[in-house]
Amino acid sequence: MIASLTEKNQYRMIALAGLVNLKWAGKEKVLAKWDGKVQSLEQYLIFVNLEAGGKKTRLGDIITSVKTNTPLGKDKEGGAQPKSGKADNALNESQQAMQLSDIVNSLRGWNSHNAIPYLEQVADNGPRVARMEVTRALRKFENNRRAIDLAIRLLDGAKDDRERRENATTLGYIDNGRSLARLHELMLQSEDEDMKLTLAWAILNINRGHPASNKGR
């Protein structure tokens, strides 16, 4: 039933997202029908579906291409590789942020730690909007060391209190205690009441073993 919804333009994106974590013999055939023929967000969902099925895609190369504003060429084996030099139709900062956010949103439905390297790639020197999408996407990876390390890096690299609150909230959902000293330090330093409350909640939720889990967010 989900696969049949890909035939309808208004439901295709939802259907592709719904297929990500399903193991079904006919899924790759459905994906092949739309691969290369749909808008970017739907294409990213196709890539995520294929990655979830163990098939390597161009997703990592596309992230690099968007971040560096370079077009994709072909390597000797025919795979996609960023070319040197700027694209003629280079994206502005807002367009880059939007595309990277779309990629993160396509990854959010993948219930596997294999999504984390792509989230790291987007977050590394990525635009603020995309970084905040990444930290929200990490909230399902409770007690995952790689996700925790990324959330801590994002917290330390945050440019303002709003970004810090997002990262502190993520750590509140997933951390195993490694960030407690840093969260406590920030709480003592902060003069913003909302920031203090978020940090206090994160510390409490970590210490209580994540009773307020957010795996589905």
Side-chain angles (χ1 to χ4, degrees):
M1 186 192 308
I2 295 174
S4 68
L5 291 176
T6 62
E7 300 291 338
K8 300 182 182 297
N9 292 338
Q10 67 269 38
Y11 299 130
R12 187 176 303 122
M13 185 171 66
I14 298 171
L16 289 170
L19 287 171
V20 171
N21 299 299
L22 295 182
K23 292 183 179 180
W24 174 51
K27 182 162 74 167
E28 195 163 325
K29 183 177 179 180
V30 171
L31 299 174
K33 180 176 181 178
W34 301 108
D35 194 2
K37 304 182 180 98
V38 291
Q39 59 171 313
S40 59
L41 182 53
E42 293 175 351
Q43 184 64 52
Y44 300 149
L45 284 166
I46 289 173
F47 288 151
V48 172
N49 268 284
L50 292 170
E51 294 274 349
K55 186 173 182 180
K56 188 67 177 172
T57 71
R58 299 180 299 149
L59 188 59
D61 294 325
I62 288 172
I63 294 171
T64 298
S65 174
V66 173
K67 289 179 70 175
T68 59
N69 245 330
T70 54
L72 286 174
K74 298 283 186 180
D75 61 19
K76 292 180 180 178
E77 286 73 39
Q81 293 291 335
K83 295 178 180 178
S84 59
K86 296 290 183 182
D88 293 335
N89 55 341
L91 303 172
N92 59 39
E93 290 183 10
S94 178
Q95 290 170 325
Q96 283 179 302
M98 185 179 298
Q99 285 207 28
L100 291 171
S101 295
D102 282 349
I103 291 171
V104 174
N105 283 323
S106 72
L107 289 163
R108 287 179 73 167
W110 187 10
N111 297 329
S112 169
H113 66 275
N114 291 321
I116 298 175
Y118 292 114
L119 296 173
E120 289 175 327
Q121 188 180 357
V122 172
D124 184 26
N125 296 317
R128 177 179 179 275
V129 171
R131 292 197 309 270
M132 291 174 70
E133 291 292 345
V134 166
T135 198
R136 295 181 191 114
L138 292 173
R139 291 175 188 172
K140 68 175 67 183
F141 298 109
E142 185 177 325
N143 294 319
N144 182 290
R145 181 165 184 171
R146 192 163 182 174
I148 293 167
D149 286 345
L150 178 54
I152 291 172
R153 293 201 303 274
L154 288 169
L155 176 70
D156 288 338
K159 303 301 182 185
D160 54 45
D161 277 350
R162 183 182 174 192
E163 193 174 352
R164 288 186 193 92
R165 285 197 300 270
E166 290 286 352
N167 293 310
T169 299
T170 295
L171 286 165
Y173 285 126
I174 70 173
D175 188 37
N176 55 14
R178 296 179 59 241
S179 70
L180 284 174
R182 179 62 175 143
L183 293 172
H184 188 260
E185 179 187 15
L186 286 173
M187 187 173 68
L188 294 177
Q189 292 174 351
S190 179
E191 296 180 358
D192 180 83
E193 287 302 315
D194 287 341
M195 187 75 229
K196 284 185 176 181
L197 286 171
T198 300
L199 291 163
W201 172 86
I203 292 168
L204 178 63
N205 208 49
I206 292 167
N207 282 328
R208 293 176 63 196
H210 312 120
S213 66
N214 196 33
K215 294 178 183 177
R217 183 165 178 175

